[in-house]
Amino acid sequence: MTLTDTEKLASAVEQAKAGRAEGGIPIGAALVVDGEVIAVGRNQRVQLGSAIHHGETDCLENAGRLPASVYARATMVTTLSPCDMCTGAILLYKIPRVVIGENRTFLGGEDLLRSRGVDVVVLDDADCVAMMTEFIAAEPTLWNEDIGEED
């Protein structure tokens, strides 16, 4: 059975909610290969005191070392448009497809991904929009820190 993009997003949303429940930033990701979720991750900058554990990078870390042939068949699913760092990781591993929950609250490197041949799908998921809108309103300082901006 092949998962739909919305079904794939559910794994990332679950991670985003878990991260928020831990006091972190509600961004989650899932790496899907051949229709199967092989790894998930969430933004853990707060929880781990990390500069680099965004949702997508945490997901890649949790996937462990994989051969290039696996990444070449992968889809990165993320609740939020990927920032420049996460965009770079997607490009580095030549992941050919990215499914994004929403890009209203933050527009990341989608144009760069597309310019490099990555198939970018934006679902404009209402739950993802609400989750980030509520978080940004409640934690503007933490949000600005996460995207590298000052208050």
Side-chain angles (χ1 to χ4, degrees), residues 10 18 20 24 29 42 46 67-68 75 87-88 93 103 107 114 123 128 133 149:
R20 185 66 182 129
R42 60 183 168 269
V46 173
T75 297
T87 294
Y93 290 105
N103 63 2
L107 180 60
R114 286 184 187 100
L123 298 179
C128 289
T133 300
E149 293 186 8

Side-chain angles (χ1 to χ4, degrees), residues 88-104:
I90 291 163
L91 292 173
L92 175 69
Y93 290 105
K94 297 178 178 63
I95 296 170
R97 189 164 189 268
V98 177
V99 174
I100 298 168
E102 70 101 353
N103 63 2
R104 288 192 216 176

Side-chain angles (χ1 to χ4, degrees), residues 39-117:
V40 295
R42 60 183 168 269
N43 186 307
Q44 294 202 69
R45 291 188 64 252
V46 173
Q47 299 93 313
L48 299 176
S50 170
I52 62 169
H53 274 275
H54 281 198
E56 299 90 336
T57 55
D58 187 59
C59 180
L60 290 168
E61 175 71 14
N62 291 337
R65 292 174 57 196
L66 299 171
S69 61
V70 174
Y71 293 117
R73 301 189 318 271
T75 297
M76 176 63 76
V77 183
T78 180
T79 58
L80 185 65
S81 185
C83 72
D84 289 344
M85 177 175 64
C86 295
T87 294
I90 291 163
L91 292 173
L92 175 69
Y93 290 105
K94 297 178 178 63
I95 296 170
R97 189 164 189 268
V98 177
V99 174
I100 298 168
E102 70 101 353
N103 63 2
R104 288 192 216 176
T105 60
F106 179 80
L107 180 60
E110 294 174 32
D111 287 342
L112 178 58
L113 290 168
R114 286 184 187 100
S115 77
R116 298 281 294 273

